[in-house]
Amino acid sequence: MRQTAIIGIGQTPVREHWDYPIRGLAVKALRAAMQDAGTERIEGLFVGNMLSGALAEQEHLGALVADYAGFPGIEAVKIEAACASGAAAVRQAVLAVASGHLEIAAAVGVEKLTEFSGKFSSKALATAADADYEASIGLSFAALNALMMQRYMYEYGYSKEDFSPFPMIAHHNAQFNPNAMFRYPITKAQYLKAKPIADPVNLLDSSPVSDGAAALIIVPLEKISRFAGKGVKISACEITTDSIGLDNRENPIILAAAQKSARAAYKTAGVLPKDISVFEAHDAFSIITALSLEASGFVKDGQAPRLAAEGIYNIDGRLPISTFGGLKGRGHPVGATGVYQLVEATEQVRGCAPDKLQVPDVRTAMTQNIGGSGATVVTSILEKI
Amino acid sequence: MDIPRYWRLRNQRYRLEGTECTECGEKSFPPRCVCAKCKSDSLQPFRFSGKGTIYSFSTIYQALDTFDKDIPYSIALVKLEEGPLITTQLADISPDEIKIKLPVEMVIRKIYEDGEHGPIQYGYKFRPVLNK
Ligand SMILES: [Zn+2]
């Protein structure tokens, strides 16, 4: 297998994009990434998306996006793994290039949610859970996260306010990211007063439904000098799975798939958690941020909220997380989220993040994209060349 | 939920029927195709007693479409006395009475009505154990 690199990145702002169809958003991000790479061609396209069929009545995004991007005829396919669809598509692009099958591949994540009523889109999002035994008896996505959060609070003795640092970090960072959806900070008082969704999960624990698209151009590491873009090495991109039902996990407050995926990524990249200088976390809900930090070996089980209170995950802390606002602040265009995380991590490694968000001397950045309540996890590690 | 799908689930929804592995004895709910522990496909139906304790819980204030008219309602992960966890709605209990470790038992209740003229679907919920 060859080593691979990201040579181009592109994104649309995360917004309510009522003026763009799904194909238009995807092409916009893809063309931006191709321009950044300095290429006019791609040989393969992997589209990460979860809900185009359920909501926009449009499947077959591989062929659709390839056609509208001006490349009818190339290999192109949609990859679906719930909220982890984006990084799962990146994984396929990486494998295609690493295997020698393609010389230049694109991964595009795209999702449009906001033009559909909230009830319709949350029902569609709940299809990531077990349809027969979770969603159809009344559990939304927030409800599953509430079950994890409640048990976590019980086992480790936390109260609701102990989770406030996570959305506060996200909103703080998002205000300096021009592509973020929520560009304003929030206070602990606002967090504690937010509308309950599924107790103890409230509105400010929850990432918003959003529209957006992000794209990466992936090439063999040894060929980056042929391109105009600034290359960043993909040291690992590892995908793992767990029981889809939360009730079928050995321990519902341990993300076993995240543990496996992170361990595999550290091994492939030959690094340790202490070598990571930036972590783009999948903060779909506050509890997931804590569980993801713990599963990735950054902190012992049950300790993440405690360390968050000390400020170590702040933008100027020891391990900055969600540096562009994360899912909570940048927004969570579901199937695009994993690609946004990698676009942002690339900016950190290249050293071209916005002033107030650039972490000094980033050599190694990690992203973790989580599908469902933890049933698919993709952990990626990027390194400076 | 379409009627064939609901009909397929009747033994789970009404009888709490899962599977027991004839090789290693592992009990599962929902029923499995292959034993999650030893990978044997020699499984037989196993009916759970419907007794357990609350492992975790939540009260829902913003629901999926179909359940909107029921809010607020409470849900839980229940640790069944035979071992597995089950995801369920709670019945006959107010949100401030719910506690982790509270003993609960299965009852059959209405899960949802598919519109004014659609079928009414019943299934398991769990309520606090009576006569305690
Ligand atoms: Zn067995």
Side-chain angles (χ1 to χ4, degrees):
Chain A
M1 295 284 261
R2 302 188 284 190
Q3 294 199 302
T4 59
I6 294 169
I7 197 70
I9 56 174
Q11 63 182 312
T12 71
V14 179
R15 297 284 185 271
E16 293 184 352
H17 284 294
W18 290 25
D19 44 350
Y20 281 97
I22 200 156
R23 68 188 78 173
L25 266 189
V27 169
K28 217 168 135 74
L30 174 58
R31 290 189 65 86
M34 290 175 62
Q35 194 181 4
D36 182 47
T39 181
E40 281 168 8
R41 55 180 273 279
I42 52 170
E43 293 176 352
L45 171 67
F46 299 88
V47 181
N49 171 269
M50 177 183 175
L51 294 171
S52 68
L55 295 176
E57 300 172 359
Q58 177 70 64
E59 284 290 11
H60 216 162
L61 291 191
L64 179 75
V65 176
D67 181 12
Y68 276 76
F71 305 106
I74 64 166
E75 170 176 355
V77 66
K78 163 171 161 170
I79 306 291
E80 190 277 322
C83 323
S85 301
V90 174
R91 159 86 173 166
Q92 293 308 313
V94 167
L95 289 179
V97 173
S99 67
H101 181 65
L102 299 178
E103 289 302 314
I104 179 163
V108 180
V110 62
E111 202 79 61
K112 277 184 66 67
L113 294 166
T114 65
E115 67 202 58
F116 307 96
S117 92
K119 295 210 169 85
F120 196 34
S121 57
S122 41
K123 198 173 170 188
L125 285 166
T127 60
D130 186 321
D132 285 349
Y133 297 98
E134 291 176 334
S136 65
I137 62 169
L139 277 88
S140 63
F141 232 73
L144 290 163
N145 282 274
L147 291 172
M148 291 190 266
M149 187 169 173
Q150 185 80 259
R151 183 71 194 188
Y152 185 92
M153 289 164 71
Y154 170 82
E155 287 199 13
Y156 298 113
Y158 285 114
S159 66
K160 174 75 185 159
E161 69 172 301
D162 295 321
F163 291 85
S164 64
F166 298 117
M168 286 172 68
I169 290 168
H171 275 256
H172 172 87
N173 295 347
Q175 61 183 321
F176 305 112
N177 173 8
N179 292 307
M181 186 144 169
F182 293 148
R183 302 193 60 201
Y184 51 83
I186 58 166
T187 64
K188 189 190 251 193
Q190 285 172 313
Y191 174 72
L192 291 173
K193 274 190 305 198
K195 194 173 78 167
I197 305 283
D199 193 52
V201 168
N202 72 27
L203 186 65
L204 288 179
D205 286 305
S206 319
S207 54
V209 294
S210 342
D211 306 336
L216 302 177
I217 306 297
I218 293 162
V219 296
L221 180 63
E222 78 243 17
K223 294 190 177 154
I224 55 169
S225 58
R226 299 183 187 180
F227 296 91
K230 193 169 175 191
V232 165
K233 183 181 170 194
I234 303 172
S235 300
C237 181
E238 300 289 339
I239 185 165
T240 53
T241 56
D242 194 357
S243 292
I244 196 158
L246 184 60
D247 49 15
N248 273 228
R249 309 243 172 100
E250 197 158 297
N251 183 342
I253 58 167
I254 288 186
L255 296 176
Q259 286 181 334
K260 287 194 191 99
S261 158
R263 280 173 199 156
Y266 294 136
K267 195 174 166 212
T268 306
V271 301
L272 296 169
K274 67 171 175 55
D275 300 322
I276 306 293
S277 29
V278 167
F279 179 50
E280 294 304 332
H282 188 96
D283 52 343
F285 293 90
S286 306
I287 179 66
I288 292 292
T289 317
L291 297 182
S292 164
L293 284 162
E294 293 167 8
S296 301
F298 291 121
V299 52
K300 286 200 183 100
D301 291 346
Q303 296 303 308
R306 214 150 273 150
L307 289 185
E310 291 170 15
I312 82 157
Y313 306 126
N314 294 355
I315 194 74
D316 56 355
R318 203 172 76 224
L319 178 66
I321 63 169
S322 306
T323 61
F324 282 70
L327 284 63
K328 177 69 194 81
R330 173 236 300 128
H332 182 25
V334 181
T337 289
V339 187
Y340 273 98
Q341 290 177 313
L342 281 155
V343 164
E344 294 158 354
T346 301
E347 288 198 40
Q348 286 289 0
V349 176
R350 282 178 171 181
C352 63
D355 265 0
K356 296 204 163 151
L357 301 180
Q358 180 65 53
V359 175
D361 307 319
V362 177
R363 298 210 57 81
T364 310
M366 181 160 126
T367 66
Q368 192 165 75
N369 189 199
I370 301 179
S373 56
T376 300
V377 179
V378 189
T379 306
S380 306
I381 295 176
L382 303 183
E383 279 182 286
K384 195 169 189 156
I385 297 169
Chain B
M1 190 188 284
D2 56 281
I3 290 172
R5 181 175 154 207
Y6 183 68
W7 176 81
R8 261 195 319 271
L9 289 169
R10 66 198 182 284
N11 287 334
Q12 285 70 51
R13 296 264 164 124
Y14 299 153
R15 292 161 47 85
L16 222 59
E17 192 176 284
T19 45
E20 179 177 22
C21 175
T22 62
E23 303 283 332
C24 78
E26 175 83 352
K27 297 177 179 72
S28 303
F29 190 90
R32 289 252 152 202
C33 312
V34 172
C35 174
K37 199 169 169 193
C38 77
K39 319 300 174 202
S40 161
D41 60 2
S42 170
L43 304 177
Q44 61 188 24
F46 177 84
R47 192 172 174 183
F48 287 87
S49 69
K51 299 225 179 300
T53 54
I54 289 180
Y55 176 86
S56 190
F57 63 94
S58 171
T59 298
I60 311 297
Y61 297 95
Q62 194 174 302
L64 305 175
D65 218 356
T66 7
F67 296 91
D68 210 31
K69 60 187 182 316
D70 302 331
I71 52 173
Y73 60 92
S74 297
I75 55 151
L77 285 175
V78 168
K79 178 102 180 138
L80 296 169
E81 64 179 6
E82 296 89 348
L85 289 173
I86 184 171
T87 308
T88 183
Q89 278 196 36
L90 295 173
D92 307 343
I93 188 165
S94 70
D96 54 357
E97 293 170 325
I98 310 171
K99 284 196 305 275
I100 286 174
K101 290 193 174 159
L102 185 79
V104 288
E105 62 190 6
M106 174 201 171
V107 284
I108 298 288
R109 291 291 164 85
K110 183 162 78 183
I111 303 287
Y112 91 100
E113 262 177 84
D114 199 0
E116 226 175 286
H117 304 290
I120 299 174
Q121 302 188 348
Y122 292 86
Y124 54 80
K125 292 189 183 181
F126 281 71
R127 69 172 175 202
V129 173
L130 298 177
N131 316 319
K132 265 227 141 200

